[in-house]
């Protein structure tokens, strides 16, 4: 929730330094986004169609963007033993703060990802023991 509140306080057009100052997070903690990641963040996973000239213009436009992503996640695991099986429940969140700039000004700020991770995995006990022990042994 804290990160969503911080992202909501940002407005398009803000300068890069003002954005990082408002977030109180150093830019070095962010990772740079690839062109494909920025396209997926802005336009979704839709395919871009058009003439070769239009596609080249779209590509050049995307290359003028500068994207930053800051992943933050917390997933806790708990397990229970059954007869020959191990049931593992994982819950928490897996999110990332995305900042996209165009010519030094904020174009888009969003929080992407799964806000509520809740999965159950069933494993045979011996497979789980072998996975853990081979990692330690080798």
């Amino acid at each position: 929730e804290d990160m969503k509140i911080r992202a909501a306080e940002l407005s398009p057009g803000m300068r890069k330094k003002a954005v990082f100052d408002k977030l109180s997070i150093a830019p070095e903690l962010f990772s740079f986004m690839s062109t494909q990641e920025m396209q997926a963040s802005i336009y979704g996973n839709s395919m871009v169609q058009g003439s070769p000239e239009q596609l080249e213009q779209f590509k050049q436009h995307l290359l003028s963007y500068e994207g930053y992503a800051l992943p933050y996640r917390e997933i806790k695991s708990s397990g229970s033993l059954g007869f020959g099986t191990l049931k593992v429940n994982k819950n928490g969140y897996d999110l990332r703060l995305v900042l996209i700039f165009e010519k030094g000004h904020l174009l888009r700020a969003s929080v992407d990802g799964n806000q509520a991770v809740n999965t159950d995995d069933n494993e045979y006990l011996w497979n789980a023991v072998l996975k853990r022990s081979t990692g330690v042994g080798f």
Side-chain angles (χ1 to χ4, degrees):
E1 283 303 313
D2 179 50
M3 199 61 76
K4 281 189 175 185
I5 292 169
R6 289 183 189 192
E9 292 175 352
L10 303 175
S11 57
M14 291 177 72
R15 293 203 166 273
K16 192 186 302 186
K17 183 178 180 342
V19 168
F20 290 115
D21 289 345
K22 185 93 166 168
L23 290 172
S24 301
I25 301 173
E28 298 82 33
L29 297 176
F30 286 79
S31 61
F32 287 105
M33 295 174 68
S34 69
T35 305
Q36 291 81 13
E37 288 175 312
M38 287 187 289
Q39 179 182 342
S41 181
I42 297 170
Y43 302 106
N45 288 328
S46 59
M47 293 294 296
V48 179
Q49 298 179 353
S51 68
E53 295 83 22
Q54 290 171 329
L55 292 174
E56 184 61 29
Q57 287 176 347
F58 179 74
K59 179 182 173 187
Q60 292 303 317
H61 189 70
L62 272 180
L63 289 174
S64 71
Y65 292 164
E66 189 176 351
Y68 295 87
L70 178 68
Y72 58 102
R73 65 188 313 220
E74 182 178 340
I75 298 179
K76 296 180 181 175
S77 298
S78 60
S80 61
L81 288 174
F83 183 71
T85 61
L86 176 66
K87 182 177 182 177
V88 179
N89 176 267
K90 297 178 183 178
N91 58 34
Y93 54 85
D94 186 7
L95 301 167
R96 71 182 187 155
L97 174 63
V98 174
L99 303 172
I100 298 178
F101 295 92
E102 182 178 24
K103 298 177 184 166
H105 292 87
L106 183 65
L107 178 70
R108 182 174 187 272
S110 65
V111 176
D112 300 340
N114 291 333
Q115 188 165 350
V117 173
N118 190 5
T119 61
D120 289 318
D121 295 326
N122 290 317
E123 295 183 22
Y124 287 106
L125 184 58
W126 292 113
N127 289 345
V129 169
L130 287 174
K131 280 184 199 175
R132 308 270 191 290
S133 63
T134 54
V136 172
F138 293 101

